[in-house]
Amino acid sequence: MSDGNNEKILVAGGAGYIGSHMVRVLIEAGLDPVVIDNLSTGYRDFVPGKVPFYEADLREPGVFSELIKTHHISGVIYFASHIEVGESVIDPLKYYDNNLISCINLIRAMKENSIDRVVFSSTAAVYGDPECVPVKEDAVLAPKNPYGRSKMMMEKMLSDAGTAYGLKCVILRYFNVAGAFPGGEIGEKHVPETHLIPNVLKSIKNDNCEFNIFGDDYSTPDGTCIRDYVHVVDLCGAHLKALRYLEGNISGIFNLGSGKGFSVREVLETVMKVTGQKIEANVLDRRDGDPERLVASIAKAKDVLGWEPEYGLEDMIRTAWKWENNLC
Ligand code: UFG
């Protein structure tokens, strides 16, 4: 750990999948993270013991302000949101209540305490079914579900706060995040798990090797949906670059993916190659709300932030498999 004189970064949602990787990447970069998380989907033991940790609900007014003052925070990285597309359709108020109120509290606290740097985690879900792929940042925003709409509204709130109060924000629109910390100590742990890669790996670990594909009648070469996968450690590296970029006092919006698309069947093939196991795939109906094809243009992140992913799909699966085998 540091001598306590390093830059202090508040990581909201730092006990979750991406947030906990971010905490480790910040420490490796010589910065001091302070974590706040309500543990609704995060895990206390994902955060190293020496990192200041606060269990609190960000909808409570004053929580952010107190932490910013106590720890002399200089910047914020914000992950604290509900993120399940399907759940957001069934219970939209849960999403608008948690995601929007927490974001309002963040903006208010930053304004009151003259903190003007925030890196905000957004999503490719703000694009809905994009008209062209690879998707550029200036594509039309047309989210197809309450989760995506809540993120789009949060983006707009941050942008308005920029205009009115001078807040500087880097919005990072994640495509499909996968993989785990290479040591295998932390990784993806959602309950219930809905994501493709952990679901396939669980089917192998549970010995039935049966897996459900949601639809193979899309207009893609093998009929299954195409997504752009990015390793969680690469993604966190982009947040570090975004913090540095904010020192130039400018806001920005960047897609984070690999720029390459893989179909569900191609992901299954890669899982079989990496694990050496055979998978029997059942084909079910399409899942509601799934866009056919989502692939990022990452040219802007490359040109402006100087960021490029280092890990490929096999690395994501290999590290996720290691983590899956560490899970009880
Ligand atoms: N899929 C299956 N079987 C499964 C799980 C997923 O066939 O058991 C398919 C889905 O139908 C989809 C693809 O695998 O075609 C990827 O699905 P994921 O659930 O892994 O990811 P999504 O693309 O639905 O969503 C993820 C994040 C969102 C984010 C989006 C942006 O969960 O928060 O990526 O690309 F908005």
Side-chain angles (χ1 to χ4, degrees):
M1 265 315 260
S2 74
D3 57 9
N5 294 320
N6 295 334
E7 206 179 335
K8 307 271 188 304
I9 304 296
L10 181 61
V11 185
Y17 168 44
I18 303 173
S20 61
H21 285 78
M22 188 72 237
V23 166
R24 281 164 171 77
V25 169
L26 285 167
I27 294 169
E28 281 178 1
L31 302 175
D32 280 352
V34 173
V35 169
I36 181 165
D37 198 301
N38 66 3
L39 299 184
S40 63
T41 53
Y43 298 90
R44 176 65 186 92
D45 62 357
F46 275 20
V47 182
K50 288 182 188 160
V51 172
F53 177 84
Y54 296 85
E55 182 178 345
D57 191 327
L58 298 175
R59 286 172 300 178
E60 290 295 325
V63 166
F64 273 123
S65 249
E66 204 183 310
L67 276 185
I68 288 172
K69 285 194 188 88
T70 309
H71 289 280
H72 308 289
I73 295 293
S74 61
V76 178
I77 306 184
Y78 190 91
F79 298 101
S81 296
H82 291 320
I83 58 154
E84 288 300 332
V85 170
E87 184 188 52
S88 80
V89 176
I90 294 163
D91 191 0
L93 267 189
K94 177 174 174 180
Y95 278 69
Y96 293 127
D97 177 61
N98 181 73
N99 293 0
L100 301 188
I101 294 176
S102 303
C103 188
I104 290 168
N105 286 342
L106 169 74
I107 294 169
R108 187 171 288 132
M110 292 183 73
K111 176 173 173 266
E112 283 169 4
N113 294 282
S114 305
I115 305 293
D116 62 1
R117 280 194 301 157
V118 57
V119 179
F120 178 74
S121 97
S122 189
T123 168
V126 296
Y127 297 117
D129 252 317
E131 280 169 18
C132 327
V133 289
V135 192
K136 290 192 183 160
E137 289 81 352
D138 59 4
V140 174
L141 301 189
K144 292 177 76 177
N145 50 63
Y147 162 62
R149 274 189 282 280
S150 75
K151 284 285 181 179
M152 183 181 74
M153 289 176 199
M154 292 156 91
E155 287 192 7
K156 303 284 184 207
M157 288 199 282
L158 288 160
S159 157
D160 288 341
T163 309
Y165 316 129
L167 185 142
K168 299 289 177 284
C169 179
V170 168
I171 288 167
L172 300 175
R173 294 182 181 149
Y174 310 159
F175 282 64
N176 288 55
V177 188
F181 215 66
E185 57 273 45
I186 51 170
E188 202 163 359
K189 188 178 173 186
H190 299 118
V191 183
E193 187 53 76
T194 61
H195 294 106
L196 175 61
I197 291 174
N199 267 357
V200 190
L201 295 176
K202 279 185 199 310
S203 81
I204 297 173
K205 198 179 160 201
N206 298 336
D207 282 340
N208 64 4
C209 291
E210 273 199 28
F211 177 75
N212 295 327
I213 295 178
F214 299 132
D216 69 351
D217 56 350
Y218 289 94
S219 304
T220 58
D222 67 19
T224 63
C225 287
I226 292 177
R227 293 289 181 275
D228 179 340
Y229 296 86
V230 56
H231 196 288
V232 64
V233 172
D234 278 330
L235 187 94
C236 292
H239 291 65
L240 275 185
K241 300 253 183 196
L243 275 177
R244 298 282 81 97
Y245 177 77
L246 284 166
E247 286 166 4
N249 234 10
I250 20 178
S251 296
I253 300 180
F254 302 93
N255 288 337
L256 297 180
S258 68
K260 298 181 201 93
F262 293 92
S263 72
V264 173
R265 283 203 189 276
E266 284 172 328
V267 172
L268 292 187
E269 291 296 326
T270 314
V271 169
M272 289 193 264
K273 180 175 167 205
V274 169
T275 63
Q277 304 278 336
K278 187 144 178 47
I279 299 159
E280 295 298 328
N282 310 309
V283 178
L284 305 186
D285 288 345
R286 292 181 178 197
R287 188 170 70 176
D288 272 353
D290 272 345
E292 179 169 286
R293 206 184 280 256
L294 270 176
V295 181
S297 160
I298 55 169
K300 190 175 172 196
K302 276 187 193 167
D303 294 347
V304 180
L305 295 180
W307 174 82
E308 217 170 334
E310 288 175 14
Y311 294 98
L313 184 62
E314 284 191 24
D315 303 309
M316 293 176 222
I317 292 168
R318 191 172 301 110
T319 51
W321 185 224
K322 184 168 184 183
W323 158 248
E324 198 62 49
N325 283 306
N326 284 351
L327 273 173
C328 306

